[in-house]
Each structure stands twice: as C-alpha cells, then as structure tokens.
Amino acid sequence: MDDVVAPEVGEENRSKSHRSWSGAPESLSHHIADAAETFGLSSALIDAVAWQESRYRIDAVSRAGAMGVMQLMPGTARDLGVRDPFDAAENIAGGARYLRAQLDRFDDLALALAAYNAGPGAVVKYGGVPPFRETENYVRKIMGRLASAASAD
C-alpha cells in the first residue's frame, strides 16, 4: 500500500457516520459482504485486505500498476474476469476470488496473504512467507487487524 498513488480520500469517507460495521465506507461494505458470501470468506478478512491494499480507495493505482480497492495487477484482473478494475464491485469480487484461490492452495491464512501480496510463486519458492519486509509487514498488519476486529465483537 505504501506505493499507492491516489487522490486524498474525501472527508465523507473518513466520517464514522459513513462507515459500516467493517470500517469500510458504506459504498463498499455491501460489495465486501457480497464477495464474502460468494467466496466463503469472512467480511472482516476482505475488509482488512481492502484497507491494507488501498485504504478503500476505488481509484488507487500503485507504482507497479496494481489497481483499485483490492490492488489487482492488470494480468491478474484479466485472469479473474475483472473487466473494469476501478469498478468497486468487480474489483472486490476479483480480489476475494483471488484470495479464496490462495487459501485453497495453501490452506493457511498467513501463506494465502503472503501469496496475495508477493505472489504464490514466492510462497512456494521460500516454503512459507517470503523474507521480504513488505510481505512480512503486510501479513502481520492484516492478521493484527483481524485480531482487533475479533476482539471488538
């Protein structure tokens, strides 16, 4: 997320009155809930990935070219059937589909998150979370966010 370039999130997206249960703006929370149900994931997990990837910015673009809320790379988006990576519903569904695939492949949340961030090839190559500071921090931050969400329930 550190290299995402996007306009500042509007004041309306910062207000707690415009937040859903998850922390996501109301404009995204129903897409998160739909994707969670469709792909058998927790809404909290999709929410945590969306926050870490883009801070919920629909128009986010990283220096590497990852796009949208879930920061899908162009080739990954195409492979997932995402035609418009800046369409919140498509992007969130695509990111959830990809995350589900990583969970099915690795059967471990930390490894699935590492694969989402660094690619599944890196997880296989290193036999676990790759020793990349960015990926280690990514996994740690999302796992921490999930733990905080669980303790708030």
Side-chain angles (χ1 to χ4, degrees), residues 22-136:
S22 66
E26 289 177 21
S27 62
L28 299 180
S29 63
H30 67 282
H31 298 307
I32 290 171
D34 289 348
E37 183 176 334
T38 299
F39 298 103
L41 301 169
S42 74
S43 293
L45 174 59
I46 297 170
D47 178 81
V49 172
W51 169 255
Q52 190 61 38
E53 288 289 344
S54 69
R55 301 302 192 262
Y56 307 122
R57 294 179 186 162
I58 295 167
D59 59 354
V61 178
S62 74
R63 286 189 280 262
M67 301 171 288
V69 176
M70 301 293 281
Q71 288 291 276
L72 302 176
M73 292 299 289
T76 303
R78 271 190 306 279
D79 292 347
L80 295 167
V82 175
R83 288 189 256 185
D84 180 0
F86 297 107
D87 177 273
E90 281 192 66
N91 188 283
I92 291 169
R97 182 180 300 120
Y98 188 70
L99 187 55
R100 171 84 265 161
Q102 301 318 308
L103 276 166
D104 290 346
R105 179 174 184 175
F106 295 106
D107 197 32
D108 179 275
L109 181 56
L111 296 181
L113 291 169
Y116 194 98
N117 178 260
V123 173
V124 170
K125 177 180 178 180
Y126 290 99
V129 175
F132 310 144
R133 183 176 302 150
E134 176 188 336
T135 302
E136 292 169 340

Side-chain angles (χ1 to χ4, degrees), residues 133-146:
R133 183 176 302 150
E134 176 188 336
T135 302
E136 292 169 340
N137 287 338
Y138 180 88
V139 171
R140 182 181 46 76
K141 286 177 182 179
I142 291 176
M143 298 293 273
R145 191 167 177 90
L146 289 172

